[in-house]
Amino acid sequence: AQKVTQAQTEISVVEKEDVTLDCVYETRDTTYYLFWYKQPPSGELVFLIRRNSFDEQNEISGRYSWNFQKSTSSFNFTITASQVVDSAVYFCALSKPGGYNKLIFGAGTRLAVHP
Amino acid sequence: NAGVTQTPKFRVLKTGQSMTLLCAQDMNHEYMYWYRQDPGMGLRLIHYSVGEGTTAKGEVPDGYNVSRLKKQNFLLGLESAAPSQTSVYFCASSPGYLNTEAFFGQGTRLTVV
């Protein structure tokens, strides 16, 4: 069975701090895809990144970076120099090939960035 | 581009009432989905469709029905609403290939009293 665990329910930081959101997944498939989505207070879901299981390179996009480690089944997300606009709920998700792009979501981590 | 549009955005129902949530996408996507979001549980798949005229059950299908008569529309029906169906409902769509990302609507907040 597939499962995604985001153990951090809520994180609170002060602006300009770095913060890492943890994501641990379980799957028996050798090929799979991992995603991060952001849900700001307005409620919509915003796609951030997709990573396939064969690509273990870390990725950086501006202040955002992702660390994918198959050995520990983790796909962690770091925000550098956090800003108030980063305040949101962040979801990690998993899908598998041939699975019609159905997503298995973690419970989400609520990030509050205070001025 | 409108993307994925859900109507209505808010609704309050009494127990036992029925309603239909409408999802429309203008990206010509093959796949469409209905998820529900509950506190502490993330999003869970209710039903999905891999093409016009097809539907399939997801993780939590009980109490819901769906239809996809046109490729661009995916309807979610509640025949007899229960308080346990109080949730935020999200529709999503994706192209029919290669595990690309899903595009989500703005959500429908449903309260059943």
Side-chain angles (χ1 to χ4, degrees):
Chain A
Q2 296 182 314
K3 184 179 179 182
V4 176
T5 301
Q6 294 180 257
Q8 304 152 308
T9 305
E10 294 189 24
I11 300 175
S12 181
V13 299
V14 177
E15 214 171 11
K16 297 184 183 178
E17 282 186 34
D18 298 347
V19 58
T20 295
L21 309 182
D22 297 333
C23 173
V24 174
Y25 61 91
E26 296 176 29
T27 181
R28 294 179 180 175
D29 299 304
T30 54
T31 302
Y32 49 88
Y33 296 81
L34 296 163
F35 302 79
W36 276 94
Y37 281 85
K38 174 182 180 180
Q39 185 178 42
S42 51
E44 73 274 22
L45 283 152
V46 178
F47 165 77
L48 296 178
I49 190 171
R50 177 184 76 137
R51 173 69 65 201
N52 75 56
S53 54
F54 293 106
D55 183 1
E56 289 193 68
Q57 279 192 336
N58 291 335
E59 175 139 351
I60 299 174
S61 176
R63 295 183 297 105
Y64 294 172
S65 63
W66 290 268
N67 182 1
F68 176 34
Q69 291 195 338
K70 286 181 76 170
S71 60
T72 56
S73 297
S74 64
F75 187 42
N76 296 337
F77 173 31
T78 297
I79 302 174
T80 302
S82 60
Q83 300 177 0
V84 173
V85 293
D86 296 326
S87 297
V89 180
Y90 291 87
F91 292 100
C92 182
L94 171 70
S95 74
K96 65 178 183 180
Y100 303 114
N101 298 354
K102 294 177 291 181
L103 294 168
I104 304 294
F105 282 87
T109 297
R110 181 178 298 277
L111 174 64
V113 182
H114 302 284
Chain B
N1 254 349
V4 179
T5 303
Q6 293 180 229
T7 51
K9 291 185 172 46
F10 302 93
R11 184 73 185 269
V12 178
L13 282 180
K14 293 183 179 178
T15 297
Q17 287 185 321
S18 63
M19 78 162 295
T20 300
L21 281 66
L22 171 63
C23 177
Q25 53 99 359
D26 62 2
M27 296 172 283
N28 201 35
H29 285 169
E30 287 296 327
Y31 300 166
M32 296 187 74
Y33 318 84
W34 277 105
Y35 291 88
R36 58 178 288 173
Q37 180 181 8
D38 300 295
M41 302 187 75
L43 282 79
R44 293 177 294 166
L45 183 64
I46 304 171
H47 286 281
Y48 64 101
S49 168
V50 299
E52 182 178 312
T54 75
T55 63
K57 294 180 179 179
E59 180 186 354
V60 289
D62 293 343
Y64 305 96
N65 57 75
V66 288
S67 65
R68 191 155 177 215
L69 299 179
K70 293 183 178 180
K71 185 177 183 179
Q72 63 267 33
N73 296 337
F74 195 29
L75 307 180
L76 178 70
L78 286 73
E79 290 187 349
S80 179
S84 60
Q85 294 177 305
T86 293
S87 188
V88 180
Y89 291 86
F90 284 96
C91 177
S93 71
S94 74
Y97 59 85
L98 291 180
N99 291 80
T100 187
E101 71 269 22
F103 296 79
F104 284 82
Q106 308 103 309
T108 296
R109 184 173 295 275
L110 175 66
T111 302
V112 182
V113 298

